[in-house]
Amino acid sequence: MVNELMQNDWDLEKILRQQDELKVKLLRAQSVVAECKAGLADLERRLECRAVSIDERQRNSAANNSIRNARPPKSRSLDNPVNPDAAVAFSPRWDR
């Protein structure tokens, strides 16, 4: 019985078959790893593009906010009447 077990454990055909099966499993695993790496690289590119896009939007938003927050030109209203002592900038023709 011990000789029979030893013979089965050292069966060259069985060892070669297991070796081939392991090679196939290794190739499949390498293929999965390569696919995962490609997917990860794609995700990193998309995240980088999104980060650049967000950064640009933030810069544009900051620029727009600074424009909006800039002091608006004074408008004339009934509360701010024209100064009668101010120099005349325009004289209509019919006034001549």
Side-chain angles (χ1 to χ4, degrees):
M1 184 165 165
V2 172
N3 285 339
E4 187 178 317
L5 287 175
M6 289 294 286
Q7 222 174 17
N8 286 342
D9 284 346
W10 293 101
D11 182 10
L12 183 60
E13 191 174 310
K14 185 177 176 183
I15 291 172
L16 291 174
R17 186 171 50 249
Q18 287 177 341
Q19 184 181 13
D20 289 343
E21 289 171 1
L22 289 173
K23 284 180 182 178
V24 169
K25 286 182 182 180
L26 178 61
L27 289 172
R28 284 185 188 149
Q30 288 173 336
S31 174
V32 168
V33 168
E35 187 177 331
C36 289
K37 284 182 178 179
L40 182 60
D42 182 51
L43 282 175
E44 288 173 344
R45 277 191 301 273
R46 292 185 353 206
L47 283 172
E48 181 66 28
C49 287
R50 185 170 289 168
V52 168
S53 174
I54 289 170
D55 187 45
E56 286 175 358
R57 275 189 260 152
Q58 287 174 343
R59 273 189 269 127
N60 289 342
S61 176
N64 289 339
N65 285 339
S66 67
I67 290 170
R68 269 189 238 121
N69 293 337
R71 190 172 179 182
K74 278 193 165 182
S75 62
R76 298 202 182 263
S77 68
L78 297 176
D79 296 334
N80 296 327
V82 175
N83 183 354
D85 296 329
V88 176
F90 177 75
S91 177
R93 288 181 182 224
W94 53 269
D95 204 13
R96 291 184 190 172

